[in-house]
Amino acid sequence: MVKYLGSKRTLVPLIRDIAAGLPATTAADPFTGTTRVAQGLRRAGLVVHASDTASYSEVLGGAYVAAGDDVDRAELRRLLAHLGQLPGVDGYVTQTFCRTARFLQEHNGRRVDAIRAEVDRLGLEGTLRALVLTSLLEATDRVDSTCGLQMAFVKAWSKRSYRPLTLREPVAVDGPPGTIARADANAHAASGALDDVDLVYLDPPYNRHSYFSNYHVWETLIRWDAPPHYGIACKREDCRSTKSAYNSVPRAWGVYADLVERLRAPWIVASFSDEGFHRPEAIEALLASTGREVRVVAVEGARYVGARIGIHNPAGEVVGTVSHLRNRELLFVAGPDGAVIDAALGAAERRRGAVVAPLRSP
Ligand SMILES: C[S@@+](CC[C@H](N)C(=O)[O-])C[C@H]1O[C@@H](n2cnc3c(N)ncnc32)[C@H](O)[C@@H]1O
């Protein structure tokens, strides 16, 4: 699984258990990122409609949310074997991300260039293309030389960057296939795309860290548009202009409130970190103002991967250590019937032991 800021890897079992306790058979995940939560909901039997503004999320969703059991796995393995033995060539990735910046070692960057070009030459489309690009993205992530964010690379090559890039077959996720879209969450909701689901899971960015800038290497790997770049990290030129309102202090609350007010689904599960922009009480009041009953639980968790290894400057040098390594994730569960939510939370707590501590009594 790829390294991702704000990924809900540790929360997935809990969210899945809560969703399984609610009367929901369809769900939307409009900030799907790595698709980890969408996969968890799918495994719980829900049909999931995932979306995100990131190109790489669209590819990951094609592989893990939308792919059904009609995928020709033999053909996929044949393709991965073909791509995996291609000799490396010099291209945009080698020049930009191995020589100008140092995200990958050349022996791997040259293979990425060869594989990515071959995917387009073969004219792969649809699910097969998503599966192959997911395999390449995950393979690249396993041999990169970053601390989890692509704002910087580490000064000395990471240990894993010496390993040869290996394409693995993305796993087939159990559960009914859903859909994936590349869309702004508010525009998607305004178009009615989220209207017919039973449950919406909300996990927007909660601070100033731009996902587009932090994962610019993946964005370029998927778009394959060889963009002009700037700075030590060779960020795409359009990182300067591609901004999410959810990362902006003056705009974040307005877009979040607008989104919540547009939701027609009876059930909402919303994630927030207590290190985020918004006060928990404000989120709770917003959800309650829509006529839903609301419960809030706090989950202790390890902080994102960058925080574990200290603060780095753009050259990858450690310039400080973070003040604490644990934060508190908050889950807000809202819906028409508080007793149903309490029963779902109770069942999830019993399954998850002491992980969940109620923030306030219902
Ligand atoms: C906290 S992350 C979601 C993490 C995800 N739940 C996971 O476990 O991987 C927030 C996501 O919101 C996306 N995003 C940012 N602004 C957005 C917008 N306006 N509409 C939709 N997605 C957006 C980012 O690309 C990022 O993937």
Side-chain angles (χ1 to χ4, degrees), residues 4-8 30-37 52-54 56-57 183-185 201 203-205 211 244 246:
Y4 203 59
L5 177 66
S7 154
K8 295 299 168 293
F31 301 94
T32 200
T34 61
T35 75
R36 279 185 181 111
V37 175
D52 197 289
T53 42
Y56 52 81
S57 294
D184 170 85
Y201 172 63
D203 187 19
Y211 281 84
S244 170
Y246 287 89

Side-chain angles (χ1 to χ4, degrees), residues 255-273:
V255 282
Y256 190 66
D258 169 73
L259 179 59
V260 167
E261 281 156 14
R262 284 181 190 279
L263 297 180
R264 298 288 161 265
W267 307 98
I268 299 175
V269 177
S271 280
F272 248 95
S273 162

Side-chain angles (χ1 to χ4, degrees), residues 102-300:
R102 286 157 52 94
F103 286 105
L104 295 171
Q105 299 222 21
E106 267 193 49
H107 63 95
N108 283 326
R110 284 169 48 79
R111 292 189 50 218
V112 171
D113 270 320
I115 294 167
R116 184 63 187 82
E118 180 71 353
V119 171
D120 280 5
R121 195 193 66 77
L122 291 171
L124 296 181
E125 286 180 344
T127 306
L128 213 48
R129 177 178 182 276
L131 285 159
V132 166
L133 289 183
T134 291
S135 175
L136 178 60
L137 193 142
E138 291 178 345
T140 307
D141 184 62
R142 282 193 296 273
V143 295
D144 75 359
S145 198
T146 73
C147 56
L149 306 176
Q150 296 158 11
M151 300 292 279
F153 40 90
V154 294
K155 196 177 174 194
W157 287 113
S158 70
K159 218 168 153 185
R160 61 176 178 267
S161 69
Y162 289 92
R163 292 194 214 126
L165 180 111
T166 331
L167 295 178
R168 295 184 193 155
E169 182 183 340
V171 297
V173 178
D174 289 337
T179 62
I180 180 72
R182 185 144 78 89
D184 170 85
N186 292 64
H188 212 36
S191 76
L194 308 182
D195 282 359
D196 295 330
V197 294
D198 301 322
L199 183 155
V200 178
Y201 172 63
L202 293 180
D203 187 19
Y206 55 76
N207 57 27
R208 289 174 197 270
H209 293 294
S210 157
Y211 281 84
F212 193 76
S213 289
N214 273 308
Y215 297 97
H216 66 96
V217 176
W218 292 352
E219 198 65 31
T220 296
L221 186 60
I222 300 307
R223 293 193 191 191
W224 209 233
D225 53 355
H229 54 80
Y230 67 97
I232 292 175
C234 293
K235 288 200 276 180
R236 305 169 55 89
E237 190 65 43
D238 54 3
C239 286
R240 296 187 201 271
S241 53
T242 308
K243 303 286 177 202
S244 170
Y246 287 89
N247 294 127
S248 147
V249 175
R251 295 178 65 201
W253 180 254
V255 282
Y256 190 66
D258 169 73
L259 179 59
V260 167
E261 281 156 14
R262 284 181 190 279
L263 297 180
R264 298 288 161 265
W267 307 98
I268 299 175
V269 177
S271 280
F272 248 95
S273 162
D274 65 356
E275 295 181 330
F277 284 156
H278 313 312
R279 285 185 310 112
E281 296 77 7
I283 296 175
E284 188 179 6
L286 172 68
L287 290 165
S289 74
T290 64
R292 295 176 179 87
E293 292 201 46
V294 188
R295 303 289 186 266
V296 191
V297 291
V299 184
E300 297 289 336

